[in-house]
Amino acid sequence: MGAIRTEELLLNVGPQHPSTHGVFRIIVKLDGEIITEATPVMGYLHRGTEKLAENLNFTQIIPYTDRMDYVSAMTNNYVLCHAVEKMMGLEVPERAEFLRLIVMEMQRVASHLVWWGTYLLDIGAMSPFLFAFRDRETIVQLFNELSGARLTYNYMRVGGVKWDAPPGWLDKVRAFIPYMEKKIEEYDRLVSGNEIFLSRIQGIGRYDAETAIRYGLSGANLRCTGVQWDLRRNEPYSLYDRFEFDVPVGKNGDCYDRYLLRLEEIRQSLRILRQALEQMPEGGETMGKVPRAIRPPAGESYVAIESPRGEIGCHIVSKGKAEPYRLKFRRPSFVNLQILPKLLVGETMTNLITILGGIDIVVGEVDA
Amino acid sequence: MDWLSSSPVTWYDALVVFLWGVVLMLVVLGFVTYAIYFERKVIGWMQYRQGPNRVGPLGLLQSVADILKLLIKEDTIPRKADRLLFVFAPVLAFIPSFAVLAVIPYTQKLYFADLNVGLLYYVALSGISTLAIVLGGWASNNKYALLGGMRSAAQMISYEVPLVISVTGVVMMSGTLNLRGIVDAQSGGWFWDWNFLPQIIGFAVFVVAAISELNRTPFDLPEAESELVAGYHVEYSGFRFAFFMLTEYVYVYAIAGLATTLFLGGWHAPAPFLDFIPGIIWFALKFAFIVFFLFWLRATLPRIRIDQLMGLGWKLLLPLSLVNIFLTALFYELFQR
């Protein structure tokens, strides 16, 4: 009897697959359940944001940034406004800057909650997803009161923010902090020690600091290897130099470290929020003195901030017109995703989902 | 129904047997309908949701509506599927799930078949469903379905072994394979006469292996939705899909009945002074508790990975169940002779 003829199985994961978090596609070659090759295919959600921006003035580009990383729209708003302000040398009133910082940190909490819930859903636990979305709902409602939208806020403007906080809004945020702190402890107890959960993610998707830097990873994907790199701390923007907070780092560089880091970052964000609410000025302008037509002087500028997913950057090339000559976003989801094919080789189909989820991508941002 | 086997079979007898079968079928279908409702409600409560509450009062008709929807859906068969096997697989999955119910005794008097090899009959028949799942996965001609089917085959074979060995201790204690006999052997009056305490290792192994046999969380790998989309039934729709789901819930019924019978004293009351409550109520209570336990797990645990699943089955459950047999034998040899 001859040897049994075996061949590799070419499996198309996505673009319509429940765990690729949107329309992302990976073509994997399987030997049994072991992956021998993985090729990510992107672009199903490409809307040409950067090209469209070349025909829009800067205020008009802001809503487009909302739709890139739709789980963290506030940080996207900020990076564009901040880049333009820096080019034009605009002053932002203190109250507006505080409001921006508060919404950005709330957004970070909300974004990590979405990640936490969906990641556990990927791993097969159903309840955490609903717990996380219940608490995210509070933040989304607060944003709704502030900006009139639940997901795509279009809240920030070059030189300030569109609306001041409505009466009582800051108190609601203040009340939310201890609530969320309690919930985070609860989540920690509920999930972090679970035997099945640990065996699923400990030691999975491991890489070292050098690899992470070579691939240009940022955010929790970089910090999990022990590199202390957080733009809020290393290149302070906004008012982050006024607050005390820790930049948590991992040491193993596996999915479990990334998981713990994101939980810890929620705690640190709440810490920043608490301090920001204390130091916030009572009243004041929410829009700085901005010329009617926003025309950054000719030249280039790159500004990067820390989004929940890592370093989000905005590179503007201006020719002194109201529209940018060229606009480029450094999208952390896209950059972080590049390490995926390397991580997947030799893993099982199940770990594919664990690793992909652990990177924390938002397909809107990958494809932009 | 002993009188049936003692006299020659007549048309009348055949009709009676058939009607009892129909009654059981209706009971089981009713159970499945409301087990699904109950599961969704229970999990809903655990997740701060309402659960179904739109169709009928309190959403009680939700499952009925779901089943109706499945029945009127277009019946699609992929062009490249193996038609015969594709059509045959759901039926093959369902028949054994229903057939095993025959041997489960509800009370001293109420049972359908009093087989002397009842336990073996159960184990042997339930193994056939695995075949149906593999068949369904293969016939769909879909890679996800194939992976799901293969996983299922590996999982079921690995867990059937500890499942059978874990109940061997019970058989040794009762000295019979007859399920009614096993319940009778637990009739001490108190709950510590039930098998789950003296056979605590066996019981633990049985519970884990049984959940795995049911393909329920945390062992729902064959249909792991976050990896394999829907696993072996990804290509099935309409009533064929309904058949697979039905099979799953009928097995919930069967395993809950079996666990009640083997380990929780069947229809016996937990204490002698509670004997005035009829046995069927006790059976139903224990049965409902096990069903609830299964749903509870679903809301609580993440899914285990396939290699870890195999490791757990072969390296932990199998040795444990063997140790259990050894301990039971030792105990009987030393103290009961």
Side-chain angles (χ1 to χ4, degrees):
Chain A
M1 212 177 102
I4 300 170
R5 193 175 67 93
T6 60
E7 54 183 86
E8 282 178 332
L9 183 72
L10 192 73
L11 187 68
N12 200 2
V13 183
Q16 289 163 5
H17 185 283
S19 294
T20 52
H21 297 263
V23 282
F24 176 63
R25 176 180 171 206
I26 317 169
I27 303 168
V28 289
K29 276 194 185 144
L30 288 177
D31 177 16
E33 277 217 20
I34 308 289
I35 295 167
T36 54
E37 200 188 316
T39 321
V41 182
M42 311 166 208
Y44 289 92
L45 203 57
H46 181 62
R47 290 144 299 176
T49 309
E50 289 161 357
K51 185 68 191 166
L52 285 169
E54 290 170 14
N55 292 312
L56 300 167
N57 68 40
F58 286 98
T59 314
Q60 288 171 329
I61 301 170
I62 297 171
Y64 282 85
T65 63
D66 282 334
R67 283 149 184 83
M68 279 194 320
D69 182 352
Y70 39 74
V71 183
S72 173
M74 288 294 189
T75 46
N76 298 8
N77 276 190
Y78 186 84
V79 74
L80 179 74
C81 296
H82 187 46
V84 178
E85 283 154 12
K86 219 171 164 187
M87 275 187 105
M88 297 177 65
L90 291 176
E91 280 290 314
V92 181
E94 200 177 21
R95 186 167 170 90
E97 198 59 57
F98 264 102
L99 275 170
R100 286 176 172 194
L101 185 133
I102 287 169
V103 291
M104 276 197 291
E105 287 311 308
M106 284 167 75
Q107 184 78 83
R108 197 180 309 275
V109 175
S111 169
H112 282 336
L113 279 176
V114 171
W115 176 81
W116 186 79
T118 49
Y119 192 51
L120 279 148
L121 196 64
D122 288 349
I123 288 180
M126 195 179 159
S127 302
F129 176 74
L130 288 133
F131 295 163
F133 268 68
R134 175 197 54 179
D135 294 333
R136 174 181 173 267
E137 188 64 25
T138 321
I139 299 178
V140 169
Q141 284 296 346
L142 285 169
F143 282 166
N144 192 13
E145 283 178 36
L146 187 67
S147 68
R150 290 166 50 89
L151 198 67
T152 48
Y153 312 108
N154 192 16
Y155 177 60
M156 296 180 195
R157 292 289 181 275
V158 175
V161 293
K162 179 69 182 160
W163 291 285
D164 198 354
W169 189 82
L170 290 169
D171 293 325
K172 285 182 193 164
V173 179
R174 208 165 278 135
F176 173 72
I177 298 168
Y179 167 82
M180 196 60 229
E181 275 168 350
K182 222 171 77 208
K183 285 293 166 194
I184 283 298
E185 296 312 317
E186 192 184 310
Y187 294 169
D188 217 7
R189 282 203 308 275
L190 188 70
V191 176
S192 304
N194 186 304
E195 195 76 28
I196 298 175
F197 179 65
L198 291 182
S199 67
R200 281 293 301 277
I201 68 168
Q202 264 176 343
I204 302 298
R206 233 175 134 155
Y207 48 81
D208 56 13
E210 200 197 332
T211 319
I213 292 168
R214 266 210 333 266
Y215 275 89
L217 304 188
S218 52
N221 288 308
L222 174 65
R223 289 192 288 271
C224 69
T225 58
V227 182
Q228 197 157 28
W229 181 258
D230 187 324
L231 292 172
R232 290 177 294 173
R233 167 65 48 80
N234 296 78
E235 290 170 10
Y237 55 94
S238 191
L239 305 166
Y240 281 107
D241 46 359
R242 297 196 197 174
F243 307 118
E244 252 180 54
F245 62 95
D246 300 328
V247 178
V249 291
K251 55 176 187 290
N252 298 321
D254 59 359
C255 282
Y256 183 58
D257 275 13
R258 295 195 269 282
Y259 166 86
L260 289 180
L261 277 186
R262 292 195 176 109
L263 273 189
E264 186 57 34
E265 276 173 28
I266 296 182
R267 294 198 188 96
Q268 296 302 330
S269 286
L270 293 171
R271 212 171 134 196
I272 296 173
L273 270 179
R274 179 164 279 166
Q275 296 172 43
L277 285 169
E278 270 169 25
Q279 298 178 21
M280 179 143 181
E282 270 303 314
E285 287 293 307
T286 54
M287 267 310 266
K289 286 195 176 55
V290 182
R292 261 191 55 207
I294 297 164
R295 290 201 176 91
E300 291 188 28
S301 136
Y302 176 77
V303 164
I305 65 161
E306 187 77 16
S307 97
R309 262 154 281 284
E311 177 186 332
I312 182 166
C314 180
H315 184 186
I316 301 176
V317 182
S318 174
K319 296 262 161 138
K321 297 227 178 71
E323 298 88 21
Y325 178 74
R326 175 82 176 90
L327 186 67
K328 160 82 186 155
F329 287 104
R330 182 205 192 269
R331 288 128 31 213
S333 291
F334 176 76
V335 179
N336 290 347
L337 193 60
Q338 305 311 317
I339 199 173
L340 187 70
K342 176 186 150 62
L343 291 182
L344 287 184
V345 173
E347 297 287 353
T348 60
M349 204 24 221
T350 318
N351 284 349
L352 182 154
I353 304 301
T354 319
I355 293 170
L356 177 65
I359 293 176
D360 185 15
I361 58 161
V362 169
V363 178
E365 197 184 41
V366 172
D367 294 343
Chain B
M1 286 191 280
D2 283 334
W3 53 272
L4 273 177
S5 48
S6 54
S7 58
V9 179
T10 62
W11 283 108
Y12 173 72
D13 296 341
L15 184 71
V16 169
V17 170
F18 177 75
L19 285 181
W20 273 109
V22 171
V23 168
L24 179 63
M25 183 87 163
L26 289 177
V27 169
V28 172
L29 287 180
F31 163 82
V32 170
T33 311
Y34 284 95
I36 294 172
Y37 171 78
F38 182 59
E39 171 166 26
R40 293 175 64 178
K41 273 288 185 197
V42 165
I43 294 179
W45 288 327
M46 288 178 180
Q47 296 171 341
Y48 302 93
R49 295 186 286 119
Q50 293 291 318
N53 64 353
R54 281 289 177 270
V55 188
L58 297 170
L60 278 166
L61 297 177
Q62 179 69 51
S63 302
V64 180
D66 287 345
I67 293 166
L68 276 179
K69 187 203 82 172
L70 284 176
L71 287 178
I72 59 175
K73 268 183 101 162
E74 185 189 351
D75 172 36
T76 50
I77 299 178
R79 199 184 314 143
K80 294 213 169 161
D82 188 327
R83 277 191 85 88
L84 184 69
L85 294 184
F86 189 85
V87 173
F88 183 53
V91 185
L92 184 66
F94 175 68
I95 292 173
S97 76
F98 189 68
V100 294
L101 300 180
V103 288
I104 290 170
Y106 302 96
T107 67
Q108 189 74 28
K109 300 250 167 52
L110 182 62
Y111 54 89
F112 289 89
D114 191 23
L115 277 184
N116 280 329
V117 290
L119 192 56
L120 281 183
Y121 168 86
Y122 181 101
V123 173
L125 274 188
S126 70
I128 297 177
S129 286
T130 316
L131 201 63
I133 288 176
V134 178
L135 218 58
W138 178 258
S140 306
N141 200 3
N142 177 303
K143 288 164 183 173
Y144 287 108
L146 180 65
L147 282 174
M150 288 304 148
R151 276 186 178 189
S152 177
Q155 177 177 346
M156 296 250 185
I157 291 166
S158 313
Y159 278 74
E160 218 138 82
V161 179
L163 185 78
V164 176
I165 296 180
S166 69
V167 296
T168 312
V170 172
V171 176
M172 288 162 82
M173 281 180 74
S174 343
T176 173
L177 281 166
N178 184 322
L179 289 175
R180 212 159 57 88
I182 290 173
V183 178
D184 276 335
Q186 302 176 55
S187 60
W190 290 91
F191 63 87
W192 55 76
D193 292 308
W194 301 349
N195 281 332
F196 79 98
L197 277 180
Q199 285 290 322
I200 188 76
I201 305 176
F203 184 54
V205 173
F206 176 83
V207 168
V208 177
I211 296 169
S212 182
E213 284 286 297
L214 288 174
N215 290 339
R216 290 191 65 88
T217 314
F219 303 109
D220 53 346
L221 294 130
E223 46 191 295
E225 64 181 23
S226 56
E227 302 141 29
L228 300 181
V229 191
Y232 61 89
H233 54 54
V234 70
E235 291 287 3
Y236 282 90
S237 65
F239 65 93
R240 290 186 220 286
F241 171 76
F243 256 71
F244 273 124
M245 288 317 276
L246 187 66
T247 307
E248 231 166 77
Y249 279 90
V250 174
Y251 268 120
V252 168
Y253 181 99
I255 283 282
L258 190 68
T260 310
T261 314
L262 290 178
F263 290 100
L264 298 180
W267 56 81
H268 294 304
F273 56 84
L274 289 170
D275 269 342
F276 65 93
I277 299 173
I280 187 77
I281 304 267
W282 287 117
F283 186 92
L285 280 177
K286 296 167 189 174
F287 179 90
F289 173 74
I290 292 170
V291 173
F292 171 75
F293 179 73
L294 292 172
F295 295 165
W296 184 13
L297 282 186
R298 175 154 174 229
T300 311
L301 292 176
R303 185 183 308 116
I304 200 165
R305 206 169 62 210
I306 184 84
D307 50 324
Q308 292 161 348
L309 178 90
M310 293 295 143
L312 179 71
W314 291 105
K315 290 185 197 155
L316 185 71
L317 294 186
L318 186 62
L320 263 183
S321 50
L322 287 172
V323 165
N324 182 47
I325 293 186
F326 177 71
L327 288 179
T328 313
L330 200 68
F331 180 81
Y332 272 81
E333 193 60 35
L334 294 179
F335 302 108
Q336 301 283 356
R337 286 285 158 86

